[in-house]
Amino acid sequence: MFSLKGVRHRYGAREVLGLERFAAAQGEKWLVLGPSGSGKSTLLHILAGLLKPSEGSVEVARPIGIVPQKLHLIASLTVEQNLLLAQYLAGAREEPARAAQVLAGVGLADRALARPHELSHGQAQRVAVARAVMNRPQLLIADEPTSNLDDAHCAAALDLLEAQAAECGATLVVATHDARAKGRFQHRLELGT
């Protein structure tokens, strides 16, 4: 869950994001829509604590899981090690059993020892979702998770995000310019309109 009040962000003199109020309760599913350059990624970076807004207040539940636009899987690590890295970096105890459970949940139980270069794009995307939910986040954020996918894979990616958010009881925020996602979310924030 989160609450943003009077949040604005500028790059130099150019304002890229301006929100008077944006809040979500635990377990809600939000779609953030807008064309490229409308501030979607900036908003997600602010929610994730990766970017401090130029002004305004931000309150966000912890922990947070992030599925970035570029997946950033570590090539030298196995799939399982990429998941355990999320726990290590959070200062949590590494739980191989949790990694196995999450991989099974995304249909990749048999790929735990594979390296990222051995995965298809769809499998790598599912690993990124699995990594994002390893620490049982209260807020799950996904940046353009369907932009390079055909219709069937788009639906599957959104199904996976929704299922993993529901399993954790997490608030889900998906940012995209992909209109195919519109009908799946009760709550929407449109930027740049």
Side-chain angles (χ1 to χ4, degrees):
M1 69 186 115
F2 58 84
S3 174
L4 284 72
K5 295 177 185 170
V7 168
R8 303 205 174 302
H9 192 73
R10 297 174 193 86
Y11 292 107
R14 186 173 69 93
E15 184 173 283
V16 294
L17 182 66
L19 292 172
E20 290 311 312
R21 180 157 166 66
F22 179 37
Q26 194 66 36
E28 287 184 348
K29 297 184 302 182
W30 278 85
L31 182 65
V32 178
L33 283 168
S36 295
S38 62
K40 297 182 306 295
S41 293
T42 298
L43 173 60
L44 294 189
H45 291 156
I46 290 170
L47 283 173
L50 300 173
L51 182 64
K52 183 178 178 181
S54 301
E55 62 184 73
S57 68
V58 179
E59 293 179 25
V60 180
R62 297 283 192 257
I64 298 170
I66 303 169
V67 182
Q69 203 170 71
K70 293 182 182 173
L71 302 179
H72 299 294
L73 298 176
I74 308 299
S76 62
L77 300 180
T78 65
V79 166
E80 178 188 46
Q81 291 167 335
N82 268 279
L83 269 58
L84 294 174
L85 181 63
Q87 292 181 318
Y88 173 79
L89 293 174
R93 183 175 53 88
E94 293 179 28
E95 301 174 79
R98 172 71 178 156
Q101 172 196 17
V102 172
L103 284 175
V106 298
L108 292 174
D110 62 336
R111 304 299 284 156
L113 299 179
R115 305 270 181 197
H117 73 275
E118 299 172 319
L119 303 174
S120 70
H121 178 71
Q123 289 172 328
Q125 190 173 40
R126 286 185 278 159
V127 170
V129 172
R131 181 183 57 198
V133 299
M134 272 299 288
N135 294 323
R136 298 170 181 90
Q138 292 181 298
L139 175 60
L140 179 59
I141 297 169
D143 193 2
E144 297 286 1
T146 62
S147 62
N148 295 319
L149 302 177
D150 60 32
D151 290 347
H153 287 100
C154 170
L158 293 172
D159 288 344
L160 178 60
L161 285 166
E162 289 177 13
Q164 292 299 312
E167 184 177 313
C168 294
T171 302
L172 175 64
V173 179
V174 174
T176 188
H177 63 268
D178 190 341
R180 296 175 295 179
K182 272 188 176 180
R184 299 184 62 125
F185 289 80
Q186 180 181 1
H187 304 286
R188 288 186 209 132
L189 173 66
E190 298 203 25
L191 299 176
T193 56

